[in-house]
Structures are given as C-alpha cells and as structure tokens.
Amino acid sequence: MKQKLTTKEYLIPFVLITLLFFLWGFARAILDVLNKHFQNELNISITQSALIQVTTYLGYFLMAIPAGLFINRYGYRRGVVFGLLLFGMGALLFIPGAEAGTFYAFLGALFIIGCGLTFLETAANPYVTELGPTETSTSRLNFSQSFNGLGCLFATFVVGQFLFSNSSGGAGDVVVPYTVLGILVLAIAVVFARVRLPEIHHNDGLEEKARYGRDPLLKIWRHRTFVYGLIALLAYEVSEISINSYFINFVTGQGWMTDRTASLLLTGGLAFFMVGRFTGSWVMRRVEPERMLLICGVGAVVCTMLVLMNFGRLSLIGLMGIYLFEAIMFPTIFSLAVRGLGSLTKSASSILMMTPVGGCGFLMMGIVADATNLVVPFIIPLLGYILVALYGFGLLYSPKRGKYPR
C-alpha cells in the first residue's frame, strides 16, 4: 500500500533540508573532474591525484564523531549552519590556494570542505528519516538523496566542460567554480541561521544522555543491524567513490574519447544515478527496502563483472549500468542501519558518516592501475558491491526481521 512521504507538519523542513543534498552532491562530484584536471595541469600521476579524495574524505573520518557530539548537544539546525560555514570558507580558500600555486594548498582547502560536508551530512541524513512516517523513512531519504544526484550531474557537466574547454588556462581555473560555490553556500548558511527547524524528540530515556554523554556511542554497537550496516556502507562508499573518481581516467586511458567527452559521459552516468534514486524512492513506497537493496546489489555485481570481462566498448554498458543499480544503496543502507535507534540516531549517524573515508579506495585503484592495467582495479568495487548484496540478503532473510519499526 502506498504511504505518504511526509506530513504537512514537516513539509517545509523537509523541503529545506532536501535542497542541501544538491550542495554536497555538487561538491563531491567536482572532485571526480579535479582528478584528471590536476593530472593534466600539474603533471601528476593517478596515484598522486588520488590525494584529492584522500584529503577530502579524511575530513569525514576525523570530523564525523565531533559532528555527532555537536549535533547531539546543539541540534540539527546548528549542525547544518556550522557545516555550511566550514564548507563556504573552504571553497573560498581556493582563491589564496591558486595564488600559492601548489597542489597541497588546494588539498588544505578540500580538507576544510570535507569537514563542513561531514556536519551537513551527519545532520541532514538522519533528520530526513525522522521527518514523517517511519514506514516511509527509507523512501524519504532516497527522494532527498536524488537531489544529491542532481548536484553531481550538474557539477560534472558544468565544471567538467569549463575545465576541459580549449579556453582553459591552467590549475588556477578551479578558483571560478569554487568562488561561486563558496558565496552561495555562505548565503544559504545565513538563511538557515534564521529559520526554525523542529527538533525530533524520543521518549526512550536516552535523550539527555545522548545530549551530554558518550554512552550512546557505546550503546549503538549492540545493534547488529547497525554494525553490519556500517560495514555495508563503507563497502559501498569504496565502490561508488572509486568508480566516479576513476571514470575519466578509465575511458580516456582506453583511447575511447577525450577528457571533455569523458566528462560528458560521466554526466550521463550520474543522470542514470539520479533516475535510479527517484525511481527507487517511488518503488520503495510499495516494495520492501531490504528486497530492493538485494536486487540492486546483485545488479551492480553483474555490471562490474561485465567491465572486468573487458569486451572493449561493451564495457561501457556495464559501467553505466553500475550507476543505475548503485543509486539507492547509500540512503537505503543508512536508513536501515539507524532504523529503530530512537535517541541513538544522531550518534549512529556520526559513525556512519565516517564511511566516506572509503573514497580513499580510489588510491588503491590508482596503485593497482599504475602497476597493472586500467581494467584490473575494478576488482575493488566488485568486492564492495558483493558486501552490499549480502547485507540486503541478511536483512531480508533474518529470523529477527520485522522486530524493528521501519
């Protein structure tokens, strides 16, 4: 039976928070273009350019727990505002970074952006799951995350075409998109500083402890669905971020197209990704999220194996298919992992938001590619999608299934 996505009471907060998903989708997708751009302009290898992902997602790993503690203490809205401020300042630091003229100056700015995105995602992801009926929490987060896909698509198309155009003038070109982004993000921070977002309260006796203590960070490890969800989410992040970051290197290294055309094809893949999330949100209002996760996990495994078989340009079919199947994975795993946690939700979210450190998996793909060829590194995302499929299988056929609210 079809369920409502949200209620009239939470409609405005739901819309406002959903708009934020576009911002960090845009910020994360730019990295996939920066890799090849800096390789071209600074004459660095795939492995060296992987430091872009390593630095940004290291910010997630180091800042996730502090973000969770901050949000427990001061609430979702202040967590969002603080994250926007860090995000905006990091983007504007690209201006002095270009003046310094070194790769490491850009990495410092990206680290601060990563810290800001951690606050945003630690607040927004669990908040969306609570802005409406528990039965549609997974569908609701998938819908919001669809705008993350829209941000990714917009970033790779606009920034990719700008950086790989014939008028490109060097590494300093990245200042333009980041300056515009920084100003926009700081303006949005002012808006969120002035609006009221309702806090969600749980009468489970843990709310006060969650606000002031570290007990919730210890209690959540007793929930197996959360622990296995954490492993599955890390596996997904390794796979998804690595493929995005490796995409342009792979298709251009095979001699199939230019950098600029490759950025257009990546935009096409992200369009499949966005369609997959919107479709998944609609389907999961009727189909169990566990079942959907298992089906999509198996689909991603099959598509990745098609890439590994290396049938020339036919590999592109598998590569594009991955985007369609992986689309629902992050929001579905996330919402299932925090399901039924009550006041422990914010603390659980902070742990889960350490998983984008899996983006460092691109470094592993770069090392393997430099040592072998451009196809072998796809073994890494293949293993990740297998773990995601196993998580869906385990939840779907668990003897304890149905004992947790959805």
Side-chain angles (χ1 to χ4, degrees):
M1 180 180 176
K2 184 178 178 180
Q3 300 281 347
K4 287 185 177 180
L5 202 61
T6 188
T7 61
K8 186 176 180 180
E9 175 189 5
Y10 294 131
L11 181 59
I12 293 178
F14 177 62
V15 170
L16 288 174
I17 292 295
T18 296
L19 292 175
L20 293 177
F21 284 73
F22 177 91
L23 288 178
W24 73 70
F26 188 93
R28 287 172 64 160
I30 289 180
L31 304 180
D32 305 327
V33 176
L34 282 185
N35 277 110
K36 194 66 170 70
H37 177 68
F38 279 143
Q39 288 169 32
N40 294 344
E41 300 299 334
L42 301 177
N43 296 314
I44 58 178
S45 67
I46 296 176
T47 303
Q48 289 172 311
S49 74
L51 289 175
I52 292 172
Q53 271 71 22
V54 171
T55 302
T56 304
Y57 295 118
L58 185 62
Y60 277 83
F61 184 77
L62 297 177
M63 195 55 65
I65 299 298
L69 294 173
F70 182 95
I71 293 165
N72 271 328
R73 182 72 179 271
Y74 299 108
Y76 287 118
R77 184 179 66 85
R78 290 180 180 176
V80 166
V81 172
F82 189 67
L84 287 169
L85 291 174
L86 284 175
F87 182 0
M89 288 188 294
L92 292 178
L93 282 175
F94 265 69
I95 299 173
E99 291 298 320
T102 69
F103 182 47
Y104 297 102
F106 291 123
L107 293 181
L110 288 171
F111 176 77
I112 294 174
I113 290 175
C115 292
L117 296 181
T118 308
F119 272 84
L120 282 180
E121 297 196 51
T122 303
N125 283 305
Y127 192 45
V128 165
T129 66
E130 299 192 293
L131 290 176
T134 56
E135 294 84 359
T136 55
S137 61
T138 302
S139 179
R140 193 162 49 252
L141 185 55
N142 266 280
F143 178 82
S144 294
Q145 284 277 357
S146 299
F147 288 85
N148 175 278
L150 182 61
C152 292
L153 189 155
F154 190 74
T156 55
F157 178 74
V158 175
V159 180
Q161 294 306 291
F162 174 72
L163 293 181
F164 296 135
S165 67
N166 292 329
S167 60
S168 179
D173 278 347
V174 297
V175 170
V176 176
Y178 273 101
T179 300
V180 174
L181 183 61
I183 293 171
L184 176 63
V185 167
L186 291 178
I188 294 173
V190 173
V191 173
F192 272 88
R194 301 180 67 86
V195 300
R196 294 185 64 185
L197 296 178
E199 284 294 322
I200 309 299
H201 299 286
H202 302 278
N203 299 316
D204 54 10
L206 293 171
E207 193 148 4
E208 198 65 19
K209 288 183 178 180
R211 187 176 182 188
Y212 292 105
R214 64 179 182 178
D215 287 354
L217 289 172
L218 302 177
K219 289 181 181 294
I220 55 177
W221 298 104
R222 301 175 186 174
H223 297 263
R224 289 186 178 181
T225 302
F226 165 77
V227 174
Y228 295 143
L230 176 64
I231 296 170
L233 199 60
L234 177 61
Y236 163 75
E237 292 283 19
V238 169
S239 302
E240 187 255 341
I241 297 173
S242 296
I243 287 178
N244 283 347
S245 304
Y246 190 64
F247 188 100
I248 295 177
N249 285 289
F250 175 66
V251 297
T252 57
Q254 298 285 64
W256 295 336
M257 61 195 72
T258 64
D259 292 343
R260 193 175 187 188
T261 306
S263 73
L264 279 176
L265 186 62
L266 176 57
T267 300
L270 293 171
F272 275 101
F273 186 83
M274 184 182 67
V275 169
R277 278 200 171 157
F278 274 117
T279 304
S281 174
W282 179 78
V283 170
M284 278 187 281
R285 295 169 74 180
R286 299 164 176 80
V287 177
E288 301 158 301
E290 299 95 332
R291 190 177 303 279
M292 192 72 175
L293 185 63
L294 174 58
I295 292 170
C296 289
V298 172
V301 167
V302 171
C303 287
T304 309
M305 289 180 68
L306 182 59
V307 177
L308 280 165
M309 289 177 185
N310 195 20
F311 293 133
R313 294 194 181 218
L314 287 177
S315 298
L316 288 176
I317 297 174
L319 190 58
M320 301 301 276
I322 291 171
Y323 283 92
L324 189 63
F325 284 112
E326 73 176 4
I328 61 98
M329 290 181 183
F330 180 92
T332 303
I333 297 170
F334 189 98
S335 59
L336 290 172
V338 301
R339 186 172 62 182
L341 292 182
S343 295
L344 300 178
T345 300
K346 294 175 184 175
S347 297
S349 174
S350 69
I351 298 292
L352 291 172
M353 285 320 303
M354 296 176 74
T355 58
V357 75
C360 297
F362 175 52
L363 177 61
M364 291 187 289
M365 290 189 77
I367 292 172
V368 174
D370 289 340
T372 57
N373 60 52
L374 293 170
V375 177
V376 174
F378 280 93
I379 291 174
I380 295 170
L382 174 65
L383 295 175
Y385 292 131
I386 289 173
L387 287 176
V388 170
L390 288 175
Y391 182 61
F393 179 86
L395 289 180
L396 189 61
Y397 296 103
S398 169
K400 293 186 177 182
R401 186 170 169 234
K403 293 187 178 181
Y404 301 100
R406 289 187 186 165

